[in-house]
Amino acid sequence: MTNVTHARVKPLWTWDIVGPAMLDAFRKLSPRTLMKNPVMFVVEVGSVATTVDFIYDVAQHVPGTGFSIQITLWLWFTVLFANFAEAMAEGRGKAQADTLRKARFESIARRLKDDDTIEEIPGSKLRANDIVMVAAGEFIPGDGEVIEGVASVDESAITGESAPVIRESGGDRSAVTGGTRVLSDEIKVRITSNPGETFLDRMIKLVEGAARQKTPNEIALNILLAGLTIIFLLVCVTLQPIAIYSNSPQSLFVLVALLVCLIPTTIGGLLSAIGIAGMDRVIQRNVLAMSGRAVEAAGDVDTLLLDKTGTITLGNRRATDFVAAPDVNLAELADAAQLASLADETPEGRSIVVLAKEQYGLRGRDLSSHNATFIPFSAHTRMSGVDLDGREIRKGAPDAIEKYACHNGRDPLCAEVKEAVRKIASSGGTPLLVAENRHILGVVHLKDIIKGGTRERFDQLRAMGIRTVMITGDNPLTAAAIAQEAGVDDFLAEAKPEDKLALIRREQAKGKLVAMAGDGTNDAPALAQADVGLAMNAGTQAAKEAGNMVDLDSNPTKLIEVVEIGKQLLITRGALTTFSVANDVAKYFAIIPAMFAAAFPQLNVLNIMGLRTRESAILSAVIFNALIIVALIPLALRGIRYRPIGAAALLRRNLLIYGLGGVIAPFIGIKLIDVLMGWIHLV
Amino acid sequence: MTANGWFQITLFLLIILAITKPFGVYMARVFTGEKTFLDPVARPIERLIYHLTGVDETHEMHWTEYTIAMLLFSVVSMILLYLILRTQQWLPLNPQKFGALPPDLAFNTAASFTTNTNWQAYSGETTMSYFSQMAGLAYHNFVSAATGIAIAIAFVRGIARREKETIGNFWVDFTRSCLWVLLPVCLVVALFFVSQGTIQNFKPYVTSHLVDPQTINVTGADGKTASQLISTQVIPGGPVASQEAIKMYGTNGGGFFNANSAHPFENPTPLTDFVQIILIFAIASGLTYTLGRMTGSQRHGWAVWGAMAFLFVVCVFFAYRAEARGNPLLHGVSQTASASQSGGNMEGKEVRYGIADSALFATVTTDASCGAINAQHDSFTPLGGLIPLVNMMFGEVVFGGVGAGLYGMLVFVVLAVFIAGLMVGRTPEYLGKKIEAYDVKMAMLSVLIFSFLTLIFTAISVITTFGKAAITNPGPHGLSQILYAYVSTAANNGSAFSGGNWNSLWYNISTGFNTLLGRFLPVIPILALAGNLARKKIVPESAGTFPVTTPLFASLLVGVVVIVSALTFFPALSLGPILEHLLMNAGKVF
């Protein structure tokens, strides 16, 4: 799936990340850090054991230390490479955190005291519920909610989007973020977070990996890896007695080498890097997830609730057609419609003016000379219009105009107009009646414009096994038509906030995981109920707190991308686990004959790679095992691409690549290393 | 390999395929309380049992209660058997006046029969009274099998139920297994065996004079060889047919006689032999269908069956091939099958059954944790003997022991679903149940226990004198013998690479504990897993769900089973049977 928003993708290997990561790799050797990763901890213990044995051998002048030093070194490299992978992932996060941190410089806040006087205090001293004034040119000192006034705000520091946004009190665009700058006007802001808990702070912690907790699947996978590690530990420990029975006892170096090759070091070394990189990818798309758990849950989503407006359709309806009543000519209708809309600043109104101009060459007119009175839309009459030169032009919803035009109890609508209204409504459009002096002239067809590429996206979602449900306030007829055109699986028409909540609960009762995007305060309960709730940054504080993700760009379609990232995360882990375990087959074929061919030359039949010497075979396996970690760092950090081709096809594909590939690749790799070492006469 | 041999094997598989559905449907009905044709007979008996024992059949058990009931029952049963074996000299039906078993052997036998293993460190005809055989061993053949089936059914319930705290009632599952599943078939089959010549009596052994006395050479204690004339023979008796049916049908495998199903009194004709092999797989195969039916995904049941059948076919092929090829060191001797000879490696095989049937029997008995034998696995070629060993190393999941095979395989299913499930980009789901950390932990634990027991006991035995004392052949074959003993007991198979001197204090104690730990330790996490699965919601299936009904899934399952056991046992196998094979090709035998 294509990226709708342009992720801020950084190059993978840059010196300012690689350099510190190399240092970190050594720092992470501390057993206390490594304990958290059972697989790599076993490798470290093994490395220490071989190091001690090596020193002892040197002191005792045991021959053959050339081999044992190389084994020991490569075992250490294995640990270091795994640490390096994790450090790389963290480094990329830190780089992003640094950019964010720049926005978090010390600002001066003008706090409103109880007696309405203003005092200046450092921004870092602000507590929740403090009230501050922010004027044009000043930075907003902390996360908060506008409680008075309206202002344009530059949020580029956190969103990367340079166009200013409007923030105003009340309504659904009241939340402001610390570190953003007010460009015009002055607002009164109620601070909503304590120092160190602001949005920016949380974001920095998340990208740096400091606040990272293991996700449920990661924990489960860790258990599996620990289990495998114990099994292989058992295999290697019990192999020595069996080897002694077979008159070919093995050295510690060989046994540890076998152990390290068998335990799943590839995935063990990359597991935490995959998790950190996954969070990083979410943040690159300007989505702030409150936890890794939320991102992982996104991959499991079964049902996606999408608001029609802004997500499926462009924000506004547009006039696309005029249908005149039988006794009226079209130009007359267009003229009346345009006049009625001249003062109408809504996008729909403007689109009527434009359509009349495009189709009939009617220019917008200056009506000041005509003694015109504009009648604005009111909830009571549900019409708007204009009175000029004795003409009384009105436009509005069919039932409102019908009521307006009805006199003497006669039905003002002729059959043709009725038919036109029905047709427009059933096609998903909105009919707008135009009347002059209580005589109906015709209908304006207002149409929802579905965003480009929407249908393809929903097809892909369907292939992923995700059902899309469109939420709209439209009537069922209109909703059905738009749903059909956009290709969503289902729709909820005439939806009130509580309907949304009920729908989510219904889906969840069926065992489904539901994701939704929302911005308004009335979305908050639904956002909280949904398993994945993506709140818009422009939305209210209540919505942001209820959801478990915030989109800084306030683009609801992001939900789909987050779902993909969640899936990618799991696929990458699963694929590398399979790869790691599949690798063991080749390693056995390298190491077992090398261990026992001295005592039983017949076992060389198992040396199907034709490795040169016993030492070279074991060393090649260990080197391959270490290098594969480094080789897979890019894959772990970028994630394996998710293809919406259905689970069965995806499984077949990944099993083929990472399962079968995992069996074959090390045969080739180990052989190559063996040949190379022959060239440079290492062993 | 002959056409006739392949015909037998194919016919066998087709019959198993044919009986899977009827057996599966019947068992599903029995355990979900639906009506069956046996109800008029079995239901009154069942009611009476509950009435006498005070069991409330409507009571549903949490997994912990289920586990405790199962363990308590097993412990009490085991103590009972131990007491019978220790006091058989005072008990009735002991015409040969056999004395009490020594404590270690009695413990070993009691543990082994309680766990459905039937590892036999004794010879039945020279050790056991008829009472011990009937009231002690045959009783355990029934109840250990019923226990296995009950656990499997509880596990299937765990998968099928949603948001429930309970997984059934152990007493009910157990009683129904006995009354509906085990007893009726055994009654019919025992009569059939009698009709074929299997003995069924309480008579003392008969001493008869040989028509053609034989002179044999015997090496005395002083090392001198003396010739000895043999003119009499003791012919044993006993209630064999009744024990033979459950021995096979309950995948117990403990023979009435030491020669097990190679003995003509146990297994008189090729027909009884064929029926015996079918009985081994009957319940285990049917249970895969029960799984599909109870979980509402019949295709998943067949996918599991397919994975099992695939492993069976591959193994029987290699076993048959290895045995039919014979011994390469017998130069100049024709080992090809012909009208006048069966060909292949006939050492340790019954001429009545021949190569194909012996290979088939060996594969089936080790696929399912039966352990009955009609040929000596010890005398198989190295690669032919590798197959029974590998079958058991799979963890007895290729159809497997009654019940145990299914729940063992379902653990692998959970692991397969978890590893591969991640690869489709969702939290892995198994038939709508999310597989989470706890489930993985329990599944891994049960796999770990088997590897742990087998490897540790083998390692101790191969470097200690008391361990090596059992070995009758040095070198890699000796390693195979010890490895086989512990794999067989941990996996509750019970067959042996015979020839070993297993009746020693070390082996009686270690294999005894191995059977107990190998059976009951993994069952605890498995029932915990069942309880946890039962608690979960069911996520409806979608296009993004990991499919567990396809051939792809079946092959994945095969892959996981093979990889896990291969990675665990490859080093030991390469120093045992594989090395022996290579050395044999180089002209060195043991």
Side-chain angles (χ1 to χ4, degrees):
Chain A
M1 214 177 271
T2 53
N3 293 339
V4 168
T5 48
H6 293 282
R8 290 180 273 179
V9 183
K10 294 167 300 204
L12 201 59
W13 306 100
T14 59
W15 183 245
D16 49 336
I17 291 176
V18 173
M22 282 172 149
L23 267 177
D24 270 350
F26 283 93
R27 242 175 252 143
K28 283 172 183 283
L29 284 177
S30 149
R32 210 172 306 159
T33 324
L34 264 182
M35 280 277 258
K36 290 178 200 143
N37 186 340
V39 181
M40 293 324 292
F41 184 68
V42 168
V43 181
E44 185 172 41
V45 172
S47 312
V48 171
T50 53
T51 309
V52 172
D53 194 3
F54 169 73
I55 294 169
Y56 177 81
D57 282 359
V58 170
Q60 300 287 315
H61 302 292
V62 176
T65 44
F67 169 68
S68 42
I69 181 71
Q70 288 190 62
I71 289 281
T72 308
L73 279 177
W74 278 104
L75 293 180
W76 280 114
F77 280 142
T78 311
V79 188
L80 285 173
F81 288 164
N83 287 348
F84 175 71
E86 194 182 84
M88 274 285 288
E90 285 172 353
R92 279 158 65 82
K94 271 193 196 112
Q96 202 154 10
D98 288 340
T99 2
L100 291 171
R101 212 174 263 123
K102 282 182 193 138
R104 201 184 53 168
F105 62 88
E106 194 59 15
S107 57
I108 298 296
R110 290 190 289 132
R111 185 167 68 167
L112 209 59
K113 295 209 293 195
D114 293 341
D115 55 1
D116 272 2
T117 57
I118 287 176
E119 60 168 356
E120 293 203 345
I121 62 163
S124 57
K125 291 267 163 20
L126 283 175
R127 314 281 315 168
N129 288 327
D130 282 347
I131 312 278
V132 294
M133 301 298 298
V134 192
E138 290 179 341
F139 282 92
I140 298 173
D143 291 357
E145 200 169 0
V146 183
I147 51 173
E148 211 178 289
V150 51
S152 58
V153 180
D154 171 14
E155 294 194 339
S156 58
I158 51 166
T159 64
E161 182 64 53
S162 56
V165 292
I166 301 293
R167 292 286 175 259
E168 59 190 340
S169 63
D172 291 342
R173 290 183 299 174
S174 60
V176 288
T177 313
T180 57
R181 199 159 60 99
V182 173
L183 294 177
S184 70
D185 306 283
E186 183 167 35
I187 45 176
K188 193 190 267 184
V189 175
R190 189 172 57 82
I191 298 296
T192 48
S193 58
N194 288 323
E197 296 167 13
T198 63
F199 223 55
L200 220 51
D201 290 319
R202 268 193 281 170
M203 198 157 161
I204 290 167
K205 268 191 203 148
L206 273 169
V207 292
E208 284 187 337
R212 208 180 78 87
Q213 281 177 324
K214 282 187 179 143
T215 58
N217 278 312
E218 204 177 342
I219 294 169
L221 188 54
N222 248 319
I223 291 171
L224 182 88
L225 298 181
L228 287 173
T229 306
I230 296 173
I231 289 183
F232 290 126
L233 200 60
L234 257 169
V235 169
C236 294
V237 168
T238 56
L239 184 54
Q240 183 70 338
I242 294 174
I244 292 170
Y245 170 88
S246 308
N247 295 322
S248 41
Q250 299 296 316
S251 75
L252 180 75
F253 299 100
V254 174
L255 285 171
V256 173
L258 177 65
L259 174 65
V260 170
C261 283
L262 291 180
I263 61 176
T265 46
T266 314
I267 179 68
L270 293 172
L271 191 55
S272 66
I274 294 171
I276 297 169
M279 287 298 280
D280 195 40
R281 276 199 299 281
V282 174
I283 289 159
Q284 276 170 21
R285 281 172 178 75
N286 270 340
V287 174
L288 175 57
M290 299 305 169
S291 65
R293 185 186 281 260
V295 179
E296 212 177 73
D300 289 348
V301 159
D302 302 284
T303 308
L304 204 54
L305 303 191
L306 295 167
D307 275 328
K308 183 197 78 176
T309 311
T311 313
I312 296 169
T313 62
L314 292 171
N316 313 303
R317 281 178 284 225
R318 247 186 306 177
T320 56
D321 212 0
F322 295 113
V323 183
D327 55 338
V328 181
N329 92 37
L330 263 176
E332 212 177 315
L333 168 66
D335 177 64
Q338 193 185 45
L339 283 172
S341 308
L342 278 176
D344 183 352
E345 279 300 313
T346 63
E348 286 88 353
R350 279 195 299 248
S351 79
I352 294 175
V353 176
V354 170
L355 184 72
K357 189 174 90 181
E358 279 172 356
Q359 289 196 343
Y360 302 100
L362 299 170
R363 303 224 141 257
R365 284 149 285 188
D366 181 15
L367 296 179
S368 51
S369 58
H370 289 80
N371 190 21
T373 321
F374 291 104
I375 316 294
F377 178 87
S378 82
H380 180 65
T381 62
R382 292 188 297 137
M383 334 181 267
S384 60
V386 62
D387 291 344
L388 80 162
D389 301 338
R391 293 167 74 184
E392 192 180 294
I393 307 173
R394 294 287 181 275
K395 68 175 165 66
D399 54 335
I401 297 291
E402 196 179 338
K403 210 170 133 199
Y404 156 79
C406 177
H407 45 95
N408 309 332
R410 210 157 42 82
D411 187 359
L413 281 178
C414 59
E416 287 84 352
V417 173
K418 266 189 185 162
E419 176 61 17
V421 166
R422 199 194 57 77
K423 254 184 159 165
I424 292 169
S426 66
S427 74
T430 308
L432 207 62
L433 283 187
V434 182
E436 184 171 343
N437 298 337
R438 297 179 186 262
H439 174 68
I440 290 173
L441 300 177
V443 197
V444 180
H445 186 169
L446 290 178
K447 204 173 167 184
D448 266 312
I449 306 298
I450 290 169
K451 283 184 173 176
T454 309
R455 178 172 272 280
E456 291 72 26
R457 283 211 134 199
F458 292 144
D459 286 345
Q460 287 174 336
L461 282 169
R462 201 167 301 117
M464 288 184 197
I466 296 174
R467 212 167 67 93
T468 43
V469 181
M470 180 182 85
I471 311 285
T472 169
D474 293 337
N475 65 59
L477 213 60
T478 311
I482 297 173
Q484 223 239 319
E485 194 181 339
V488 292
D489 297 311
D490 203 355
F491 62 87
L492 181 68
E494 289 170 350
K496 295 180 286 296
E498 56 268 29
D499 296 337
K500 242 191 225 184
L501 189 63
L503 176 66
I504 294 175
R505 290 211 173 118
R506 257 201 321 278
E507 291 285 312
Q508 286 173 335
K510 284 187 246 165
K512 295 183 176 177
L513 247 59
V514 184
M516 70 164 284
D519 51 7
T521 301
N522 54 20
D523 280 333
L527 278 171
Q529 179 72 36
D531 301 281
V532 176
L534 179 67
M536 302 296 106
N537 192 38
T540 59
Q541 193 64 31
K544 280 157 81 173
E545 266 160 28
N548 44 16
M549 281 181 215
V550 177
D551 178 24
L552 301 174
D553 300 334
S554 302
N555 173 5
T557 23
K558 283 283 187 59
L559 211 44
I560 298 171
E561 284 171 52
V562 177
V563 167
E564 270 178 39
I565 294 173
K567 286 191 178 295
Q568 231 186 354
L569 208 75
L570 296 186
I571 293 174
T572 310
R573 286 196 199 122
L576 290 186
T577 306
T578 311
F579 184 83
S580 193
V581 175
N583 271 205
D584 284 0
V585 177
K587 292 171 193 164
Y588 262 141
F589 278 99
I591 297 180
I592 291 292
M595 285 172 105
F596 299 110
F600 307 102
Q602 290 82 6
L603 272 176
N604 249 327
V605 179
L606 296 180
N607 181 8
I608 51 179
M609 282 170 273
L611 304 176
R612 291 175 305 112
T613 61
R614 142 173 216 280
E615 286 80 11
S616 171
I618 296 171
L619 200 53
S620 299
V622 174
I623 294 176
F624 176 83
N625 191 54
L627 288 182
I628 196 73
I629 297 178
V630 182
L632 290 175
I633 288 177
L635 191 70
L637 295 190
R638 290 213 182 98
I640 288 166
R641 225 184 105 197
Y642 175 73
R643 286 158 207 272
I645 49 176
L650 196 62
L651 179 65
R652 189 172 306 121
R653 193 191 148 81
N654 286 336
L655 267 181
L656 212 63
I657 299 176
Y658 299 99
L660 198 62
V663 173
I664 297 168
F667 277 104
I668 302 168
I670 293 173
K671 176 73 189 169
L672 276 179
I673 296 171
D674 177 66
V675 171
L676 260 173
M677 288 206 300
W679 277 349
I680 53 177
H681 302 288
L682 259 179
V683 280
Chain B
M1 290 191 272
T2 62
N4 177 288
W6 281 117
F7 172 73
Q8 288 183 47
I9 293 169
T10 313
L11 181 67
F12 167 76
L13 190 63
L14 286 178
I15 291 176
I16 291 299
L17 178 64
I19 63 172
T20 298
K21 182 173 173 180
F23 266 76
V25 172
Y26 176 71
M27 285 189 282
R29 295 183 77 92
V30 168
F31 293 107
T32 50
E34 288 175 60
K35 265 197 162 26
T36 64
F37 69 99
L38 274 179
D39 286 6
V41 189
R43 186 71 185 128
I45 306 173
E46 187 193 17
R47 280 223 193 87
L48 181 68
I49 292 173
Y50 296 152
H51 181 72
L52 292 177
T53 52
V55 168
D56 172 12
E57 59 176 312
T58 58
H59 172 66
E60 280 277 325
M61 292 178 173
H62 189 257
W63 77 264
T64 46
E65 191 185 354
Y66 201 99
T67 311
I68 290 168
M70 184 272 296
L71 288 176
L72 273 180
F73 173 79
S74 301
V75 167
V76 171
S77 291
M78 182 178 155
I79 292 173
L80 254 167
L81 175 55
Y82 179 82
L83 291 178
I84 291 176
L85 297 177
R86 294 285 295 144
T87 58
Q88 67 169 358
Q89 72 275 30
W90 301 316
L91 296 171
L93 291 175
N94 189 359
Q96 296 310 114
K97 308 276 179 267
F98 290 129
L101 273 68
D104 59 325
L105 182 60
F107 160 75
N108 182 280
T109 308
S112 165
F113 276 75
T114 306
T115 55
N116 199 266
T117 309
N118 299 26
W119 169 264
Q120 293 168 295
Y122 62 88
S123 290
E125 58 268 51
T126 58
T127 318
M128 293 287 172
S129 73
Y130 296 159
F131 184 83
S132 298
Q133 293 269 22
M134 289 173 72
L137 305 185
Y139 161 80
H140 272 275
N141 283 353
F142 276 99
V143 297
S144 66
T147 304
I149 297 174
I151 298 167
I153 292 295
F155 197 99
V156 173
R157 277 199 202 102
I159 302 166
R161 288 187 172 174
R162 60 169 81 189
E163 293 166 76
K164 288 265 166 54
E165 284 296 321
T166 58
I167 53 171
N169 181 317
F170 172 73
W171 306 117
V172 173
D173 291 342
F174 170 81
T175 310
R176 297 200 136 232
S177 295
C178 286
L179 292 180
W180 268 265
V181 182
L182 297 174
L183 275 167
V185 172
C186 287
L187 250 159
V188 176
V189 171
L191 288 174
F192 165 75
F193 282 161
V194 170
S195 80
Q196 293 292 303
T198 306
I199 60 168
Q200 179 79 8
N201 60 52
F202 291 124
K203 289 182 191 150
Y205 294 179
V206 178
T207 307
S208 60
H209 292 276
L210 295 183
V211 181
D212 181 13
Q214 305 279 317
T215 309
I216 58 166
N217 292 327
V218 186
T219 311
D222 52 359
K224 284 185 189 156
T225 308
S227 63
Q228 190 186 343
L229 184 75
I230 306 284
S231 57
T232 59
Q233 182 187 2
V234 177
I235 300 171
V240 179
S242 57
Q243 194 167 328
E244 198 64 12
I246 187 64
K247 172 189 121 189
M248 310 311 288
Y249 188 52
T251 63
N252 296 283
F256 199 95
F257 304 117
N258 192 33
N260 210 306
S261 282
H263 198 295
F265 285 178
E266 284 199 23
N267 191 10
T269 64
L271 183 60
T272 55
D273 191 69
F274 198 68
V275 171
Q276 290 202 347
I277 314 178
I278 289 169
L279 283 175
I280 299 178
F281 271 1
I283 294 178
S285 181
L287 277 174
T288 61
Y289 196 90
T290 311
L291 164 75
R293 198 173 161 98
M294 284 176 72
T295 56
S297 176
Q298 206 59 66
R299 290 180 57 202
H300 172 59
W302 282 118
V304 172
W305 189 91
M308 291 174 167
F310 177 81
L311 284 169
F312 160 72
V313 169
V314 170
C315 287
V316 81
F317 171 80
F318 281 110
Y320 184 25
R321 198 175 87 128
E323 292 313 296
R325 283 189 165 185
N327 186 338
L329 298 181
L330 294 175
H331 302 293
V333 178
S334 167
Q335 294 181 73
T336 40
S338 68
S340 56
Q341 66 158 8
S342 57
N345 171 34
M346 279 302 285
E347 184 195 320
K349 291 190 183 64
E350 260 286 333
V351 280
R352 285 176 296 155
Y353 310 133
I355 299 289
D357 192 70
S358 299
L360 175 63
F361 198 115
T363 308
V364 171
T365 198
T366 49
D367 270 342
S369 69
C370 181
I373 49 160
N374 76 351
Q376 300 303 322
H377 297 175
D378 183 50
S379 301
F380 275 34
T381 59
L383 290 187
L386 174 73
I387 295 297
L389 199 48
V390 165
N391 276 335
M392 294 187 292
M393 285 169 175
F394 288 153
E396 298 292 23
V397 294
V398 184
F399 295 102
V402 288
L406 184 69
Y407 64 67
M409 190 54 134
L410 290 179
V411 167
F412 281 112
V413 168
V414 167
L415 290 179
V417 164
F418 180 73
I419 300 172
L422 286 177
M423 280 197 286
V424 303
R426 278 171 74 92
T427 296
E429 287 155 21
Y430 173 39
L431 292 174
K433 300 287 180 79
K434 280 202 185 327
I435 301 301
E436 291 156 306
Y438 183 84
D439 311 298
V440 174
K441 193 189 288 174
M442 292 303 127
M444 265 330 267
L445 253 180
S446 72
V447 171
L448 250 173
I449 290 165
F450 172 61
S451 315
F452 182 86
L453 291 172
T454 313
L455 288 172
I456 293 288
F457 277 125
T458 304
I460 295 173
S461 295
V462 293
I463 46 163
T464 49
T465 36
F466 53 83
K468 285 198 275 193
I471 294 171
T472 52
N473 307 81
H477 194 80
L479 174 63
S480 299
Q481 287 183 327
I482 290 178
L483 184 64
Y484 194 106
Y486 288 112
V487 173
S488 170
T489 45
N492 299 142
N493 182 284
S495 68
F497 245 28
S498 61
N501 306 314
W502 306 116
N503 188 7
S504 71
L505 187 63
W506 163 248
Y507 280 102
N508 279 336
I509 300 295
S510 65
T511 57
F513 273 109
N514 209 23
T515 58
L516 287 174
L517 300 177
R519 168 83 160 191
F520 294 115
L521 271 192
V523 161
I524 298 170
I526 284 170
L527 282 171
L529 176 57
N532 196 46
L533 287 176
R535 268 194 290 270
K536 291 176 192 245
K537 281 196 264 189
I538 289 187
V539 184
E541 208 178 319
S542 77
T545 312
F546 176 83
V548 291
T549 53
T550 57
L552 179 71
F553 166 74
S555 29
L556 178 74
L557 184 56
V558 168
V560 170
V561 170
V562 172
I563 287 263
V564 168
S565 47
L567 293 184
T568 312
F569 294 109
F570 184 76
L573 285 177
S574 55
L575 287 175
I578 296 174
L579 180 59
E580 189 187 352
H581 170 75
L582 296 172
L583 289 175
M584 175 182 79
N585 283 345
K588 191 163 166 41
V589 287
F590 300 92

